[in-house]
């Protein structure tokens, strides 16, 4: 385990990544492709990538270059393209090809899942502060104030004035979080995997639209619950409109609420649910990044 020691100043600078980075997610995807990771959830994705015309070259890239930290550092230094390093442009072209084949066709689904998790983490931060945020990131991460223990090998890190930036990753699914030391005075980067529900059988259907995309991301029943909540409903009304039991409706609304897609308000003996702005954007298909 690597240990990160926080000062009061650095602890105050713990933050979520300001935006989702497709190329950073491509690096996570490359690691998963190289190791055959992800289990059954990623079987279809691996077959599609390997079956592409450039699949063999991509497999070679995955075997010979470490995405973190090697390729990540090359990306950070992309402004030095004219420095005479002949290896770097080739690697970047290969990585861009990998992104085009392995990530870009699915970015609509992937980015929505990532954004849902980011929103959920924001809710945790608002209600429980940094302490609850760090203690619930991942089972392999241990938060013992003021020390954060992260899987991996290497020296201890003492943060004085710089902070920690956290970012979710779909393609780290079933793998350990990754700690990346960035250049200059940029904060440490901690990539953590997000869970993928087992009912996401259509996750790797390229660029689905409308109701099909929503069903692929949330599951058909949960998507139907979200669509019903374009108007405020009680749990009983949700069950009646969707055609499920009140108990099942309560379970689905709890998941949607935890993801930040709906809010719940109790009034007397009734519970009323309605969409959040994020839930409404997901239904409309608005860009989230």
């Amino acid at each position: 385990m690597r240990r990160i020691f926080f000062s009061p100043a650095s602890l105050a600078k713990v933050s979520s990544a300001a935006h989702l980075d497709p190329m950073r997610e491509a690096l996570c995807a490359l690691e998963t492709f190289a190791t055959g990771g992800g289990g059954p959830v990623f079987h279809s994705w691996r077959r599609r990538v390997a079956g592409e015309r450039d699949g063999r070259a991509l497999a070679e890239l995955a075997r010979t270059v470490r995405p973190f930290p090697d390729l990540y550092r090359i990306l950070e230094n992309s402004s030095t393209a004219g420095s005479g390093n002949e290896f770097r442009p080739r690697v970047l072209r290969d990585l861009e090809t990998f992104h085009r084949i392995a990530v870009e066709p699915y970015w609509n689904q992937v980015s929505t899942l990532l954004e849902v998790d980011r929103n959920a983490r924001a809710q945790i931060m608002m209600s429980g502060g940094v302490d609850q945020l760090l203690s619930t990131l991942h089972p392999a991460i241990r938060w013992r104030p003021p020390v954060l223990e992260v899987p991996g090998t290497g020296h201890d890190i003492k943060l004085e004035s710089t902070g920690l930036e956290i970012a979710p990753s779909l393609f780290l699914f079933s793998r350990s979080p990754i700690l990346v030391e960035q250049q200059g005075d940029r904060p440490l980067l901690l990539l953590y995997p997000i869970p993928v529900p087992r009912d996401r059988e259509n996750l790797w259907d390229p660029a689905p639209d409308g109701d099909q995309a929503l069903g692929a991301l949330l599951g058909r029943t949960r998507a139907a619950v979200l669509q019903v909540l374009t108007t405020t409903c009680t749990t009983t009304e949700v069950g009646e409109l969707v055609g499920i039991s009140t108990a099942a409706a309560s379970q689905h609304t709890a998941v949607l609420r935890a993801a930040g897609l709906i809010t719940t308000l109790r009034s007397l003996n009734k519970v009323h649910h309605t969409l959040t702005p994020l839930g409404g954007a997901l239904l409309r298909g608005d860009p989230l990044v």
Side-chain angles (χ1 to χ4, degrees):
M1 299 288 282
R2 297 191 70 179
R3 296 184 300 174
I4 305 169
F5 292 81
F6 286 86
S7 68
S10 62
L11 193 60
K13 294 181 180 180
V14 174
S15 65
S16 177
H19 64 279
L20 301 180
D21 187 338
M23 294 304 293
R24 186 169 60 205
E25 192 67 0
L27 292 178
C28 296
L30 183 60
E31 288 232 2
T32 296
F33 185 63
T35 60
V41 172
F42 287 81
H43 280 168
S44 174
W45 172 78
R46 285 194 297 269
R47 285 198 304 270
R48 293 181 187 214
V49 175
E52 292 286 341
R53 185 183 63 180
D54 297 318
R56 185 174 299 177
L58 296 175
E60 184 64 23
L61 173 67
R63 286 193 295 268
T64 57
V65 182
R66 293 171 53 194
F68 294 97
D70 297 342
L71 274 179
Y72 186 78
R73 286 172 180 164
I74 290 174
L75 282 174
E76 283 192 307
N77 291 325
S78 60
S79 61
T80 63
S83 63
N85 186 340
E86 296 179 358
F87 178 65
R88 180 189 167 279
R90 166 74 181 276
V91 167
L92 286 183
R93 288 197 302 270
D94 287 346
L95 180 60
E96 288 167 358
T97 298
F98 183 80
H99 169 264
R100 176 175 54 81
I101 291 173
V103 177
E104 186 177 311
Y106 318 105
W107 185 244
N108 183 54
Q109 301 96 296
V110 171
S111 63
T112 300
L113 286 172
L114 296 177
E115 191 64 35
V116 167
D117 185 89
R118 272 166 36 104
N119 190 72
R121 301 295 173 184
Q123 295 292 330
I124 291 172
M125 182 88 162
M126 289 176 61
S127 62
V130 173
D131 186 72
Q132 188 172 354
L133 175 68
L134 295 179
S135 63
T136 58
L137 271 180
H138 188 271
I141 295 175
R142 299 173 185 170
W143 171 236
R144 298 170 179 172
V147 180
L148 187 70
E149 296 181 353
V150 180
T153 59
H155 61 278
D156 291 346
I157 300 173
K158 294 184 178 181
L159 296 180
E160 296 296 340
S161 58
T162 58
L164 176 72
E165 182 180 54
I166 64 172
S169 172
L170 174 71
F171 285 99
L172 284 183
F173 178 73
S174 80
R175 299 179 57 228
S176 296
I178 295 177
L179 185 65
V180 183
E181 296 184 59
Q182 303 189 101
Q183 296 181 340
D185 58 356
R186 297 179 63 192
L188 280 176
L189 175 64
L190 179 59
L191 300 170
Y192 62 92
I194 65 172
V196 181
R198 295 181 181 273
D199 61 354
R200 300 293 176 84
E201 67 277 2
N202 297 321
L203 179 61
W204 308 117
D205 289 347
D209 296 313
D211 292 345
Q212 182 185 357
L214 193 63
L217 289 167
L218 300 177
R220 287 186 293 272
T221 301
R222 202 164 291 155
V225 171
L226 193 66
Q227 290 168 330
V228 160
L229 292 176
T230 52
T231 58
T232 301
C233 296
T234 66
T235 306
T236 300
E237 289 170 339
V238 169
E240 292 173 349
L241 291 169
V242 176
I244 57 178
S245 68
T246 300
S250 179
Q251 292 175 350
H252 286 301
T253 53
V255 172
L256 294 172
R257 181 171 60 254
L261 299 178
I262 68 171
T263 58
T264 298
L265 178 65
R266 181 176 295 277
S267 176
L268 299 177
N269 62 337
K270 291 185 178 181
V271 175
H272 298 269
H273 311 282
T274 191
L275 291 179
T276 63
L278 178 62
L282 183 59
L283 276 180
R284 296 189 301 272
D286 289 350
L288 294 174
V289 294

